[in-house]
Amino acid sequence: MLSLTINGGEYASRAEVGDTLAETLREELGLTGTKIACGAGHCGACTVLLDGVPTLSCITLAHTVGGRAVTTIEGLREHPLVDAFVRTDAVQCGFCTPGQIVSASALVAANPSPSPDEIRHAMAGNLCRCGTYPRIEEAIATWRD
Ligand code: FES
Ligand code: FES
């Protein structure tokens, strides 16, 4: 049995060696806010935080997480970024949105007033097929409004 610390709670997982963190979160633990799109480390849809660091959960094996704290989008329900994404209409299909917000939360934790270039640099690993990038940038720039 694998022990995982997720959003401040302790979870017992039956993840087998080779199971990814993304699969474990979604299929075993019911934390389906984390999305899987490419499944190969290219798009950022599966981003979670490991000890505050954005991490692609689709290419992270559950058994390598160890004692690090996992934060998923479910753990960020109260984060002002959620309202900012809604207020700025930064969501179209919404599939990329959990990963965008998770990555943005790490950015604003380290740098509460990021410049446009800093936002683009920090968010470069999160793709949006709907092309909402200008609104995502606006949401992050105005996250405390
Ligand atoms: S689903 Fe993980 S990077 Fe695309
Ligand atoms: S809102 Fe559709 S992929 Fe980003």
Side-chain angles (χ1 to χ4, degrees):
M1 198 64 90
L2 176 67
S3 178
L4 293 169
T5 304
I6 306 171
N7 302 328
E10 294 299 318
Y11 288 74
S13 166
R14 293 190 182 81
E16 296 182 4
V17 172
D19 286 351
T20 68
L21 179 58
E23 293 168 329
T24 302
L25 291 169
R26 288 181 52 81
E27 295 167 20
E28 188 196 350
L29 303 177
L31 295 167
T32 55
T34 298
K35 303 305 182 200
I36 300 173
C38 70
H42 300 307
C43 74
C46 63
T47 306
V48 301
L49 303 180
L50 289 187
D51 281 348
V53 178
T55 302
L56 300 173
S57 62
C58 75
I59 54 170
T60 300
L61 297 177
H63 280 264
T64 67
V65 171
R68 289 177 288 177
V70 182
T71 304
T72 69
I73 187 67
E74 287 89 349
L76 298 172
R77 288 178 203 278
E78 306 300 325
H79 197 292
L81 274 165
V82 176
D83 282 344
F85 268 66
V86 173
R87 173 167 38 75
T88 58
D89 207 10
V91 178
Q92 286 195 30
C93 79
F95 203 81
C96 72
T97 308
Q100 302 278 4
I101 291 176
V102 170
S103 290
S105 74
L107 168 61
V108 301
N111 179 4
S113 300
S115 68
D117 278 351
E118 288 170 334
I119 293 172
R120 284 179 206 139
H121 180 76
M123 300 299 293
N126 289 83
L127 305 186
C128 174
R129 290 189 182 191
C130 299
T132 62
Y133 298 111
R135 292 182 178 181
I136 291 170
E137 289 174 23
E138 181 186 353
I140 297 169
T142 63
W143 71 283
R144 289 186 291 192
D145 289 359

